Structures are given as C-alpha cells and as structure tokens.
Amino acid sequence: MTANSHCSSVEPPGLDTQRREVECLLRRCELRAGDSWYVLERRWFEQWKEFVESGDQNSSSFPGQIDNTELFEDLDSYHLKERLVENEDFVLVPAEAWHKLLSWYGMVDGQPPLERKVVDLPSTLKVEVYPVQVFLCLHSNMDNVVTAQFSRTDSIQRVQKTVCRSFSVPPGSECRLWMKSSDSSCERLRNVHLSVLDACLSSGMTVIMETRNADGTWPSSRPQIMRTSVEDQDSYQGQPGVCGLTNLGNTCFMNSALQCLSNVPPLTEYFLRNLYLDELNFTNPLGMKGEIAEAYADVIKQMWSGRHYSVVPRVFKTKVGHFASQFLGYQQHDSQELLSFLLDGLHEDLNRVKNKEYIELRDADGRPDQEVAEEAWRNHRRRNDSVIVDTFHGLFKSTLVCPECHKVSVTFDPFCYLSVPLPVSKERVMEVFFVSLDPYAKPVQHRVVVPKAGKVSDLCSCLSEMTNVHPTQMVVADVFNHRFYKIYSADESLSCILDRDDIFVYELRDPEDEQEDQVLLALYLRERSHYRDYGTGSSSYGTSLFGHPLLLSVPRSSCSREALYDLFLQRLVRYVRCPDPTDELDEEDEDDDEDELYKTQTNGISDDDDQDSVDRPGPSQSEPCCSTNSQSDVPAEPLPHLNNMQTPVGPTSRRKRVLPAPTANEQPMKKRACPKRRRSPVSIQAVNSNGTTERGKGEGDSDVSFAVTYVAIDWDPDMKKRFYNANEAEVGPQQQTTVQLQECIELFTTVETLEEENPWYCPVCKTHQLVLIIHLKRFSYTKFTREKLDSIVDFPLRPGLLSDCLLRKHPANGEPPSRYDLIAVSNHYGGLRDGHYTSYARNKDNGQWYYLDDSKVTYAKEEQIVTNAAYVLFYHRQDKIRKPTLPAPSTNPAPSSDSQPHNANSCKNDEAGPGSASCVTMETE
C-alpha cells in the first residue's frame, strides 16, 4: 500500500519532509494555557515514525488512517478508557502537527478528534487529557440525568448555564446548585465564580439544580440525600477514632498517613477542641489559605465523632491535589511524601507568625551546646510557631570540621521527622540450601555473604568455605513449584537472584574422580492420578509434581532405567523406603495398565525419528513385559534421550561417548524373557523442564544455561503413602534478616564526608518534641539500581529509644532523658512499582491497638506490629502521654491467628446482642 492510497484532503509531501515538519513542531511547541493539543494512539504514531524513517513510500509500515480505536471504551460513546498512560498508550501532539497528520492521512470514519486544552493548574501547566465528567439533573426529577464534561479551569457559572440549557430552564429563573458525591453527601456550590478545580468538583459527582418556588421558598433547603454515615447516624455509636477511610482509588497511601496522624493525641485534641479556628492563617504566602487545615479538621471530626464505620475523605483528597499537583489523580504515591506535605501544609496554614522577620544566624564559637541550642530554637520559633512545631519539630546538632585548619562549626538545624537509612553495604546476605552428596544428610541452610555485584561463582566460592566442597562441584538452581525454575551458570550475575527466591546449591561428583563422561540429571517427583486423562487426546495418566527436585551427575553408561532406578533410590534413601521381599507388591503381566502407561507416554522418552517408532509391532509382539526398574537378569534398557545426550558435566570435557541404543530385534527378547513382573512402587519417565511428558521444550528451557536432562519418578498414590516420608523430605523455611532500629539511628548519626566541600559532617538528634516521626528509608535509588529493602527493623514499642542521643535541658538537676512510646506505624506491602499501605495505631482513649486497612478496622496485638512492612514510625514522649480514659475493649475470644484479627468497627451499642454485630466493608484496592 502506498502513501497515496489513503483518504486525505491534500497530497502529502515526501516522507523526509513529513518527518522534519512534525519533529520541528514537537520540539518547538510549549504548553500555553488555553492551547489545544490532540491525543493520538501511540502505536499508530510509532508506526508513522517507522514509515517516514524508512524513506520508502511502498513500505509495509504504512500506518493508514489515524485510528484511536484502542483508546476508547466503546465505539458508541467514544469515552476514553480509564487510566491511560502518556507515552505508553497515547502521545500528545500540538494542534498544528495534528492538522498536518490529519490532512496527510485522514481519520477513520466516525471517530471524533480527541482535542484537549492546556490548563493552568497550581504550579504546573498540563494537557487535560481527562476533563471532569459529571452528571447533571434537576432536583424536581433526579431520575433524568445527562452527562457533561468540563475543564478544571471552567467556572461553576458555566456549569450552571449548561444545566439550564440541558433542561430548558426558563431564562431568568432563580436557581442554585448542589454537588453530590458517590457516598450521597451533598455540598452547596455557593460561589459560582470559583473554578471547577477550586470547587472540588470531580469526575463521577452529580450536580443538582433546584429553582425557587413561586411562593419564594426553595424546594429543599438541603436535599434529603445529604448523609455522610454508612448507616443511620442515630443507630450507630462506636469508639471515637476507630473509623476506616474509604479508598477512592489507589489512595491507601493517604489513608495510612491520615490514620497515623489521627492517633497523635495532641494534634487530634487540638482540632477536636476547635483551637485551630483562631489560628487559621489566610495570608501566609507559603500556606494554602487555611484550606488544608479546614479539610483535615473535617476528616478528624468525622473520624472521632463515633458515628461512622468509614469516612470518605474525598474533599481532603481534592484539596491535597489542588495544592500539590503531584497528588492529582489516582496514581500510586508514598505515604511518607504525603505526610511530609501535610505536616508542612498544616504548619503554614496554622502558623501564628503572620510576618516573618529576617534573622541572621550565629555560629557557636565555642559556646556550650545548651546555649546554642536554645538560641537556635528561639530563632526558629520567631518565624515558625504552630501546633505542628509544638508537636513535631526538633533540632539536629550538626558539626562541621575543616580538614585543612580543623576549625569546628556547630549549628542546630530544625527538623520535623527523622529519615534514617537501613544498613546497606556493597555486600548482600544470601540464604541458600546446600544439598550434599550424602543421601542421609538433610539440606542445610547457609547464610552466605557475597558481593552485590558478584557472580554465581562467588556464591559457590563462599559456600565452599563453609562446606569444604570445591566450587566446581556445585550447581546453583532456583526451585519453584517443585521444579527448577532456572539453573544458573557460574558466570551469571547474582543480581538475577531475588531475596525471595528459593535457592538450592547441589553438590555433584568430582569430575576428576570419574573415568567417563557424566550426564547432569534433573530429577522430579510426580504423583500419578487414579484416573486416566482422556481430555488431552491420549489415554495416559495425569501427574502432578511434589517434593523437592534433585540435581545429580550420572555416568553415561548408567543411564538405563534399571541403573537409574537403583541410583535414585539410593539418593532418596533418607525419605524413600526401598521395598524389601516382605512387602506385598502386586504382579503385573504384559496387559497391565503399567505397560499401557509406558506405551502412551513414550513422547517424553523415545526419539521421533527412531525406526522402532515407525515400524512398531503390535502390543503382543513388542510391548515390554519386564519392568525396567525391577531386579532381573535381563540386560538394562537405556533411556534413548539420555543415550543421545552428548554434553558432559563439569568444568572440563574429557571425552564424548554415544552408547548404542538396543536394536528392534532385542525388544521381543525382553518380552519373552519375563512374562510376569513384580509391581514397582515407581516408574521412570523422561520429561521436559516443566516436568511434563509433552513433546517440545518446556517454558523454562530457555533459561537453562547448559544442557540438562530432565527425568521424573512417577509414584502411584498408594505406593507413595507406603514408601515416601513427606515429613522427612521437607526443607525448613528461610529466615529473614532483622536489624535493630537503634542500628538505623546510629547509622544516621555516623560521621560522613561531604563530597564537594569535603568537611566532616556529624548529625546528632537534639530534640524534646512531643511526637517523634521516624521514616525508615526502605526505597533505595542509585544510578544503576532501584530496590526496596525488606529487612525487618526491630523497633521498640516501649521506652528507651534515643536516650543516648538527646540533649537534656537541665542535666544538672538530674533531669532524666526523654523516653518515647510507639503510638502508630505506617506499613507498606509490595515492591517499587506497586504495593499497598496500611497502618497500626493505638487509640488515645482506650489504649487499644488497631489494624487499619482502608475502610476495614480490626483489633491488633502488640506482637503483630513489628514486621518488614513497617515504613514510618510514630513515637510519643512518655511524660506527655495521657493515660487512657476508657478501659481497653474486650477482644475475647482471642483470634485464632494473627492473620484473622477481630473486627473492631463492627460492634454496635451495648444494647445490641452478641450476634447482632455487623460490619460494612468497603471495597479497597
């Protein structure tokens, strides 16, 4: 197809001209408020680029007409799919570039152009790919709903005019608007000059218009749908503060931070007592005109009213996105980043200092720390004076030493929270299981310290020092679902191995001690089902993997079924009991099902090109009646795949040998030699890397770095029960690395060298704040790597933290150091790209710990709190903790396991019977 065959209004220029013109426009155009940009399906655009770069008008990469089909939910409404990602699903092109492409290539019939405006949001300009889509209706007929889209920069007055036009409201009618969110709560849109963004009108909301009655009254002073409680407020009375937060779509990070702050007693009581009303700062240029403080106060009052199972923090979310554009939309975010923004926003909205004066800082000049610290604190309070400073702020002591003249400079710098690193080095601790050649030895777990940038050979070398086994006798494998997910070569990077992988290191025979080539066998254990699997088109029995696989090297001459049978039983002797003459085993003849099994499962054993499979005699002539894994005087039958295997095992290759397979004439001899056989507990099958006998490569074959032959031992279920000891075969779980919180703090306060000026830097915590927030820096970003550190940080719940790092105000009077108790934890589960946030919190009124997972709240025990998910810790100074005013709620009967705690926000008032408790669990991410 040529470039001239599409429908376009003008003849397109040459391909090189097209490329230069569009690229120039893309480079030159900048975002300007009010300009139009267009959404273009990325794959079409990439194909166009490939086409023009080819320079060939007849290229097969010709893109055809502009087609945005993949961006639409359906082709009736042409609504965009949700959560499309720029540069992955679509690209944005300026209007001039769009019109050129449209004139050259045309567009699929019926599709509307996706024109979008550039909007001026706080602190950023962006193309509004997703306008606000709302539902419009009249109060007098709320069943008649129309859909409309508005830009976030449109005024509420424009929304009002659209409603009047959509429902033919007579001109001059006096009307007013309400906006209704999905939880049925309503709010008046009083100021029609506000923008859609400033009015917190978001997609999915309903705008209701009511017009004044002829008698001058309004049909409803407030629509009856204005309810904020999940249930009738008069019937529910719960523990204040024990309240969930509805997930609005990837807002678990926000819910976790809010729950933690909600359980900081001095801050919550400040808002519940309305002390904030007199301290709202509407003129602070660094603040948010009091809106963040008011929105936060609304959430806290609802959560501590005791009238809600769960609160919908939609207005708060909208306010946060309004003042911090990075939180716009519904993408994944960091709870600590939200917490940092919120504390700073609350501080500036509630700053008692209306005019900040300039203050010149002085150096310590040898003065005592106490004097320098008090001066720094006074200076800080002259510019920053709020409940946030009262509750969270403290001072760092920073010491700088000049490496040339050794001058010492001491300053005390304010901070709101500690961000402490987790101990990280250039080495990593890997936990692996070593499987010895000794068949009676259980796999032993070893913790091996290896270079982070090392190779598999480094792992083997380190393990060699612990086991006295030469590294060349080791093979490293990742075991998953009872099979080998990957077998590593010695030169592969250790970065390919994750901490959660189950890594086994297998000892092989020393190749120097062997007189012939060795074959590397991967041995799987499979259990046959009682029934044949006819659904696959064959009459073979179905199998399922179990247990732990083995890797072992076998002399090529021992690759017959009988030899392998004896070798395998010797290797598995620790948990497989060999049959003895006293065991009653059934006899099988030539027509037994076991023979049928071999016949129908040859696809994993025999070669397709083998002449025996081409001219195969009937079952009565050629089917073997002698079990290939039983003791007999008949010569052993080799496995064809193993015989054809020509890659020796070990670091060097001595020689290659191919053993001849038995001829077709030998097969009847075996059959006639043994008309009856004693039933064996197992049979041996050649399989692929997935452990199946289907032809072709398994899914994991591409990951194997050197040749491996896969063999499976198939167990009859009854025989498995008799001869296989599952308990003895089990391998213990891996242990997780644990570090102490004190180690993180000590690491934070160690002396380090600054890169540019090259002085020494030593921070020491000098704080007497009421609440101490400690952020564990689990997310590590370098130029080459990105990772989340899943180490368990063992943090104390009781006093003792930081006692050695604090500066006492009056040490001469015997003042004891401040001690802190844990009151809340923000948790993060998952990895870098995704995850889920929850929190643990201690209620200030009854002293009970709760686990808060979005809208669901359950009781928690102290022993549940310390996990590898802990991300942000909240400590309250012990001498300022108010004793609980209520007794702790009874959680009996105790939960049976930590994973099933009791529901804490499901109990009604005391009049409710024991069986009448209920819980409304909102959908979470």
Side-chain angles (χ1 to χ4, degrees), residues 739-860:
V739 298
Q740 301 294 322
L741 178 60
Q742 193 66 30
E743 294 181 54
C744 302
I745 296 175
E746 290 172 358
L747 183 62
F748 174 72
T749 58
T750 53
V751 175
E752 62 179 344
T753 302
L754 299 183
E755 295 180 357
E756 296 181 0
E757 295 81 5
N758 200 36
W760 296 100
Y761 173 76
C762 177
V764 180
C765 179
K766 306 293 181 181
T767 173
H768 280 269
Q769 68 230 79
L770 299 180
V771 176
L772 174 63
I773 302 175
I774 298 179
H775 165 222
L776 304 177
K777 297 171 71 173
R778 290 195 177 276
F779 299 101
S780 173
Y781 302 93
T782 67
K783 184 177 181 181
F784 303 102
T785 62
R786 294 158 54 94
E787 63 177 334
K788 180 190 174 185
L789 306 176
D790 284 321
S791 304
I792 294 179
V793 177
D794 188 7
F795 49 88
L797 276 66
R798 294 287 179 265
L801 180 68
L802 292 177
S803 56
D804 297 333
C805 302
L806 297 176
L807 176 65
R808 285 173 283 176
K809 291 183 178 179
H810 306 289
N813 299 339
E815 175 195 8
S818 298
R819 295 174 175 268
Y820 289 83
D821 281 356
L822 187 74
I823 57 171
V825 179
S826 175
N827 302 308
H828 178 267
Y829 300 92
L832 288 171
R833 294 183 176 272
D834 54 12
H836 183 60
Y837 287 91
T838 65
S839 53
Y840 287 105
R842 181 178 180 269
N843 186 276
K844 67 181 180 65
D845 292 337
N846 61 16
Q848 169 68 39
W849 280 96
Y850 296 92
Y851 181 65
L852 305 118
D853 183 356
D854 287 333
S855 58
K856 185 178 180 181
V857 182
T858 51
Y859 291 117

Side-chain angles (χ1 to χ4, degrees), residues 65-290:
Q65 293 178 309
I66 297 174
D67 187 2
N68 287 332
T69 300
E70 294 298 320
L71 302 180
F72 299 117
E73 282 189 352
D74 57 75
L75 298 180
D76 294 325
S77 64
Y78 290 108
H79 287 160
L80 279 185
K81 292 179 180 177
E82 294 184 0
R83 301 182 183 180
L84 295 176
V85 179
E86 185 178 359
N87 296 327
E88 290 186 13
D89 302 304
F90 67 89
V91 294
L92 293 170
V93 296
E96 189 175 354
W98 163 261
H99 291 304
K100 285 181 179 292
L101 291 171
L102 184 63
S103 66
W104 297 336
Y105 295 89
M107 192 169 187
V108 172
D109 291 341
Q111 284 192 11
L114 298 176
E115 181 183 6
R116 294 296 185 263
K117 296 291 186 181
V118 178
V119 295
D120 189 1
L121 299 176
S123 73
T124 184
L125 285 169
K126 66 179 297 184
V127 178
E128 193 177 45
V129 176
Y130 288 99
V132 176
Q133 180 172 295
V134 297
F135 306 103
L136 309 177
C137 67
L138 295 178
H139 181 266
S140 57
N141 185 7
M142 296 178 60
D143 292 331
N144 183 17
V145 178
V146 298
T147 304
Q149 290 186 341
F150 299 96
S151 169
R152 287 168 178 80
T153 57
D154 287 340
S155 66
I156 297 300
Q157 190 172 51
R158 180 176 178 182
V159 177
Q160 180 173 300
K161 291 179 179 179
T162 302
V163 180
C164 292
R165 184 173 59 253
S166 300
F167 295 100
S168 301
V169 176
S173 299
E174 188 177 356
C175 56
R176 64 180 185 180
L177 301 178
W178 298 83
M179 65 178 181
K180 167 184 170 292
S181 60
S182 59
D183 65 335
S184 299
S185 64
C186 284
E187 183 180 348
R188 267 284 310 278
L189 292 170
R190 291 180 171 83
N191 189 350
V192 295
H193 301 292
L194 286 177
S195 67
V196 167
L197 179 66
D198 292 334
C200 299
L201 183 61
S202 58
S203 293
M205 288 186 172
T206 301
V207 176
I208 306 169
M209 174 181 283
E210 59 175 348
T211 56
R212 191 182 294 275
N213 296 325
D215 61 358
T217 62
W218 292 102
S220 173
S221 58
R222 298 174 68 194
Q224 295 181 356
I225 52 176
M226 280 193 78
R227 294 190 302 272
T228 58
S229 176
V230 178
E231 282 202 356
D232 187 355
Q233 298 183 23
D234 296 332
S235 62
Y236 176 75
Q237 185 63 49
Q239 172 64 45
V242 182
C243 176
L245 291 170
T246 300
N247 193 314
L248 306 175
N250 285 331
T251 57
C252 57
F253 73 96
M254 180 184 75
N255 293 347
S256 176
L258 284 175
Q259 290 284 12
C260 291
L261 276 186
S262 167
N263 285 278
V264 173
L267 185 63
T268 294
E269 291 174 1
Y270 171 85
F271 282 98
L272 293 180
R273 295 175 181 175
N274 292 329
L275 300 178
Y276 74 99
L277 293 175
D278 294 332
E279 297 184 349
L280 286 171
N281 190 333
F282 298 103
T283 61
N284 186 353
L286 301 178
M288 299 156 201
K289 302 186 183 340

Side-chain angles (χ1 to χ4, degrees), residues 20-35:
R20 283 188 285 103
E21 288 185 7
V22 174
E23 285 183 353
C24 179
L25 289 172
L26 291 176
R27 286 195 307 267
R28 189 182 63 195
C29 288
E30 297 180 354
L31 294 180
R32 291 191 300 248
D35 282 359

Side-chain angles (χ1 to χ4, degrees), residues 102 136 243 283 343 346 362 384 407 444 449 571 648 650 701 745 782 853:
L102 184 63
L136 309 177
C243 176
T283 61
L343 290 175
L346 290 175
R362 294 175 54 198
N384 304 277
K407 174 180 172 58
V444 179
V449 180
R571 193 69 178 85
D701 286 0
I745 296 175
T782 67
D853 183 356

Side-chain angles (χ1 to χ4, degrees), residues 428-708:
R428 71 183 275 199
V429 177
M430 295 186 65
E431 295 176 347
V432 301
F433 289 97
F434 178 74
V435 183
S436 170
L437 272 177
D438 182 0
Y440 292 95
K442 269 194 169 185
V444 179
Q445 185 183 23
H446 291 277
R447 300 187 69 201
V448 185
V449 180
V450 295
K452 273 191 173 181
K455 297 182 178 180
V456 171
S457 57
D458 297 318
L459 169 61
C460 295
S461 298
C462 295
L463 191 59
S464 175
E465 298 177 3
M466 301 179 177
T467 61
N468 294 322
V469 175
H470 198 273
T472 59
Q473 293 178 243
M474 297 181 183
V475 176
V476 180
D478 181 359
V479 176
F480 177 72
N481 279 349
H482 314 292
R483 68 179 181 89
F484 291 116
Y485 182 79
K486 183 177 177 66
I487 299 177
Y488 295 93
S489 62
D491 59 350
E492 288 192 76
S493 172
L494 290 176
S495 61
C496 300
I497 302 178
L498 305 180
D499 290 337
R500 64 173 178 265
D501 293 342
D502 291 327
I503 301 300
F504 285 71
V505 181
Y506 295 87
E507 179 186 1
L508 303 181
R509 295 179 179 179
D510 188 350
E512 300 295 332
D513 297 337
E514 301 300 326
Q515 300 302 315
E516 61 176 294
D517 292 343
Q518 302 286 302
V519 175
L520 183 61
L521 288 185
L523 176 61
Y524 292 159
L525 301 179
R526 304 193 304 180
E527 181 177 1
R528 292 197 298 268
S529 65
H530 284 287
Y531 305 99
R532 296 181 186 273
D533 184 9
Y534 293 100
T536 60
S538 70
S539 58
S540 63
Y541 288 88
T543 59
S544 60
L545 292 169
F546 71 93
H548 293 277
L550 284 176
L551 278 175
L552 60 162
S553 56
V554 179
R556 190 172 298 279
S557 60
S558 300
C559 289
S560 65
R561 283 194 176 92
E562 181 174 335
L564 291 179
Y565 176 81
D566 293 335
L567 188 148
F568 290 164
L569 289 185
Q570 292 172 10
R571 193 69 178 85
L572 305 175
V573 67
R574 180 169 56 86
Y575 47 90
V576 173
R577 182 173 67 85
C578 296
D580 56 53
T582 62
D583 288 312
E584 295 183 2
L585 297 177
D586 298 335
E587 288 188 345
E588 298 173 317
D589 56 25
E590 61 184 3
D591 295 324
D592 199 290
D593 286 344
E594 189 72 16
D595 293 327
E596 184 71 16
L597 175 66
Y598 292 137
K599 182 182 72 174
T600 58
Q601 291 191 337
T602 57
N603 58 352
I605 301 175
S606 62
D607 291 332
D608 295 339
D609 298 330
D610 191 352
Q611 184 64 30
D612 290 342
S613 64
V614 177
D615 301 321
R616 182 179 301 277
S620 62
Q621 297 179 12
S622 66
E623 194 65 32
C625 69
C626 178
S627 173
T628 59
N629 47 28
S630 63
Q631 305 295 328
S632 73
D633 296 330
V634 179
E637 176 190 357
L639 285 171
H641 276 188
L642 306 187
N643 291 337
N644 295 336
M645 181 70 190
Q646 299 194 23
T647 302
V649 175
T652 59
S653 173
R654 264 190 208 89
R655 61 181 178 273
K656 298 181 179 179
R657 177 186 303 173
V658 180
L659 296 178
T663 65
N665 293 332
E666 293 175 338
Q667 303 299 329
M669 294 295 294
K670 296 179 188 177
K671 176 174 178 64
R672 290 193 295 271
C674 204
K676 291 284 186 178
R677 64 182 178 188
R678 191 162 179 257
R679 187 182 183 189
S680 172
V682 299
S683 62
I684 299 174
Q685 297 285 342
V687 297
N688 59 25
S689 63
N690 284 333
T692 62
T693 52
E694 294 299 325
R695 293 185 185 274
K697 296 174 64 176
E699 295 176 1
D701 286 0
S702 60
D703 290 335
V704 178
S705 303
F706 45 87
V708 181

